Amino acid sequence: MSNVKLPSRSENYSEWYNQVIQRAELADYAPVRGCMVVRPYGWALWEAIQRELDQRFKATGHSNAAFPLFIPMSFLEKEKEHVEGFSPELAVVTVGGGEQLEEPLVVRPTSETIIGYMYSKWIKSYRDLPVLINQWGNVVRWEMRTRMFLRTLEFYWQEGHTAHATEAEAIAETRQMLDVYTDFAINEAAVPVIPGRKSETEKFAGAIASYTIEAMMGDTKALQAGTSHFLGQNFAKAFEIQYLDAGNQLQHCWTTSWGLSTRFIGAIIMTHGDDQGLVLPPRLAPIQIVVVPIFRSDEERAKVMPVADQVSQALSAFRVKVDDRTEVTPGFKFNDWEMRGVPLRIEIGPKDVDNGVVTIARRYLPGKAGKSALALDNLAQQIGVVLDEIHDAMLDKATRFRDANIHEPNTYAELLTTVENGWAYASWCGGKDCEAKVKEASKATTRCMPLDQPEDKGVCVVCGKPATAKVYFARAY
Ligand SMILES: [Zn+2]
């Protein structure tokens, strides 16, 4: 970690993003173009994301399993829209063990096909339903333009795949998992996402309806942070996922899939990060609290260190680190942990010890405003309260930033100006032509149609015809 300043976000947002990832040691570039190495600190963040999501998946009745990395090429070809959507991004294995393979194998870009194939073997009767399975794993999509965490050839994620007896149940599942993602994003990551439905153009290849959580990044671009798809009977028909109903009639299942990936780390970096580096939400931060003892002599050291150890023990319910390095100054340590986004710093100097207090500094609120003193008595309880307050304040700050950058344009010209530096919440006729026209003119795409729609939707801001939905237009990652 060097002490050279980061480029500011206003100066060069993209370079700021790349340097934060490197200097906070979240990830590094791999020798293969477009691949990344997730470093231990980045992986610890991903593990925290996994932990919170996995708990929610299990609480809603899902189990984890593992399906193979390789999928026969013919499987993908069974669902027409699916193969059209994914074929430009496929990595294909044609040689194995030195032999030309009889059938090329695709490195999974997603697993609907192979899981659909297995479900057709496992599901026989309505008594076997619903099947509620999730898998944690990696997938490969051969992207041409890559950015660490946001778009890499290989990435890590979870993909849920469920099969149901009725359409209504499958739709309810799709919406339930959208709610799970929304709850996770807001209550664990302090990322104020907007849930909604994707347009026909933007939906998943092979889905009837796709739902998304969309987040606004610090440069006002949108980021799709998680998706939940209602697949209807498309995959059930392609893979003959069928069951005998109570009346002994053969029926096709209704299926769903839903996923959230390491891309979400990009969402955390760009929602909360500032010009000093990463700012991590306390409930996901691999290190929630760093304790920095401050001393200038052996005598001071002898006074301060036992208190630092005592504080670390008192806070054992949290993820705490005592930075007892002697080769660097406290100032260096402050910058170092600020770059890594540790939500709370506890400083303990000789004066603090004399006064029976510690000084705390909140990462999201730099300078004096974020500092205060806490009594050593009952420290754990006080720190718990402070971390909750930090979560709330980070969520509030991000929500205010988001709302300040969403505007409702009344004309097409206003729409184009708005999406240059923010999101447009606009009336839309639902037509693909209007969507394409906006994209062509501004690079902005429709992000989502919020679930709560007003009664009176007005007229399409592009063509003037009656609108069918209010939709967010924005440039996106
Ligand atoms: Zn229109």
Side-chain angles (χ1 to χ4, degrees):
M1 144 93 207
S2 84
N3 262 354
V4 177
K5 255 181 96 68
L6 274 176
S8 73
R9 290 172 305 152
S10 56
E11 185 185 324
N12 189 339
Y13 196 80
S14 160
E15 190 50 29
W16 168 86
Y17 176 79
N18 292 337
Q19 285 203 23
V20 166
I21 289 172
Q22 296 257 322
R23 290 167 66 169
E25 299 184 344
L26 293 174
D28 205 348
Y29 295 102
V32 173
R33 179 201 68 84
C35 291
M36 66 173 167
V37 177
V38 183
R39 299 186 68 174
Y41 194 51
W43 195 256
L45 180 55
W46 178 237
E47 283 176 337
I49 293 170
Q50 286 185 299
R51 183 183 66 228
E52 295 303 334
L53 284 174
D54 205 62
Q55 222 165 279
R56 285 168 169 78
F57 298 159
K58 285 172 181 158
T60 44
H62 303 86
S63 304
N64 289 330
F67 293 84
L69 185 66
F70 299 124
I71 302 177
M73 186 59 143
S74 58
F75 280 29
L76 264 88
E77 287 159 356
K78 283 189 181 180
E79 214 291 332
K80 193 171 149 282
E81 284 179 24
H82 192 65
V83 71
E84 275 172 16
F86 280 103
S87 59
E89 300 176 356
L90 294 180
V92 183
V93 180
T94 55
V95 176
E99 304 272 339
Q100 198 74 28
L101 299 178
E102 256 176 58
E103 179 178 358
L105 300 176
V106 168
V107 183
R108 63 182 172 208
T110 177
S111 302
E112 278 75 9
T113 57
I114 190 141
I115 292 179
Y117 173 82
M118 295 314 297
Y119 282 5
S120 73
K121 297 174 77 168
W122 296 342
I123 297 166
K124 301 291 174 210
S125 141
Y126 69 95
R127 291 185 196 88
D128 300 327
L129 296 170
V131 175
L132 307 172
I133 292 180
N134 175 62
Q135 97 167 332
W136 290 98
N138 53 346
V139 288
V140 168
R141 296 178 186 176
W142 214 267
E143 303 276 3
M144 298 321 284
R145 296 173 63 186
T146 57
R147 294 289 301 279
M148 279 207 275
F149 290 115
L150 302 180
R151 193 165 270 113
T152 47
L153 298 199
E154 180 188 10
F155 60 88
Y156 302 89
W157 75 343
Q158 58 70 217
E159 47 179 323
H161 295 271
T162 69
H164 306 263
T166 67
E167 178 178 23
E169 263 183 51
I171 291 173
E173 166 78 7
T174 310
R175 294 286 294 270
Q176 169 183 256
M177 299 326 285
L178 182 73
D179 291 346
V180 163
Y181 289 148
T182 306
D183 174 63
F184 160 78
I186 292 172
N187 293 314
E188 305 299 341
V191 174
V193 294
I194 296 181
R197 186 174 170 168
K198 284 280 178 194
S199 72
E200 286 298 300
T201 311
E202 297 289 326
K203 76 180 186 188
F204 177 75
I208 301 290
S210 286
Y211 295 85
T212 175
I213 48 170
E214 296 285 325
M216 185 188 283
M217 303 295 96
D219 60 352
T220 75
K221 279 194 187 174
L223 185 118
Q224 176 181 302
T227 49
S228 184
H229 312 291
F230 169 58
L231 304 174
Q233 294 180 311
N234 290 351
F235 287 88
K237 284 181 175 159
F239 288 91
E240 294 172 350
I241 313 172
Q242 290 172 300
Y243 69 97
L244 286 170
D245 68 15
N248 227 25
Q249 297 295 305
L250 201 56
Q251 305 279 0
H252 282 104
C253 288
W254 299 81
T255 67
T256 81
S257 68
W258 29 276
L260 184 145
S261 75
T262 36
R263 182 165 228 245
F264 200 88
I265 292 177
I268 290 173
I269 298 168
M270 290 194 285
T271 298
H272 301 304
D274 65 15
D275 288 348
Q276 276 68 52
L278 203 58
V279 181
L280 292 178
R283 292 173 194 158
L284 296 177
I287 301 170
Q288 295 173 296
I289 303 153
V290 62
V291 179
V292 180
I294 298 167
F295 49 84
R296 285 186 183 78
S297 62
D298 286 347
E299 195 188 334
E300 285 184 355
R301 183 169 197 270
K303 187 171 179 178
V304 161
M305 277 315 290
V307 180
D309 291 337
Q310 181 198 324
V311 164
S312 152
Q313 274 167 25
L315 301 180
S316 61
F318 302 97
R319 300 184 286 279
V320 188
K321 179 167 177 69
V322 179
D323 188 350
D324 56 4
R325 286 180 289 178
T326 50
E327 71 278 15
V328 292
T329 63
F332 180 95
K333 293 178 184 179
F334 292 178
N335 289 338
D336 193 10
W337 295 111
E338 278 172 10
M339 178 69 76
R340 288 165 209 266
V342 173
L344 191 66
R345 181 174 75 227
I346 298 183
E347 302 166 12
I348 307 174
K351 272 196 188 135
D352 295 314
V353 175
D354 288 341
N355 296 332
V357 298
V358 294
T359 302
I360 60 169
R362 296 160 180 83
R363 174 64 185 87
Y364 84 93
L365 196 58
K368 283 220 161 63
K371 284 199 168 193
S372 52
L374 292 184
L376 275 170
D377 293 337
N378 221 357
L379 190 61
Q381 199 204 346
Q382 299 178 75
I383 291 288
V385 172
V386 169
L387 289 178
D388 283 342
E389 283 170 2
I390 291 175
H391 174 91
D392 293 345
M394 285 175 67
L395 179 62
D396 183 55
K397 189 179 174 186
T399 306
R400 279 186 284 114
F401 176 81
R402 181 195 73 188
D403 293 346
N405 287 291
I406 297 178
H407 303 286
E408 292 196 42
N410 292 311
T411 64
Y412 180 58
E414 268 178 47
L415 169 68
L416 295 186
T417 319
T418 301
V419 296
E420 274 173 30
N421 200 12
W423 293 13
Y425 185 50
S427 298
W428 175 45
C429 64
K432 283 184 182 176
D433 291 349
C434 291
E435 216 178 351
K437 189 176 167 187
V438 173
K439 189 176 179 181
E440 174 75 28
S442 69
K443 294 198 178 111
T445 49
T446 60
R447 304 315 306 162
C448 73
M449 297 169 270
L451 302 175
D452 287 330
Q453 288 280 333
E455 198 97 339
D456 177 14
K457 297 174 186 73
V459 295
C460 177
V461 76
V462 185
C463 70
K465 287 185 195 147
T468 56
K470 291 281 265 186
V471 68
Y472 291 100
F473 282 98
R475 292 163 307 132
Y477 281 100

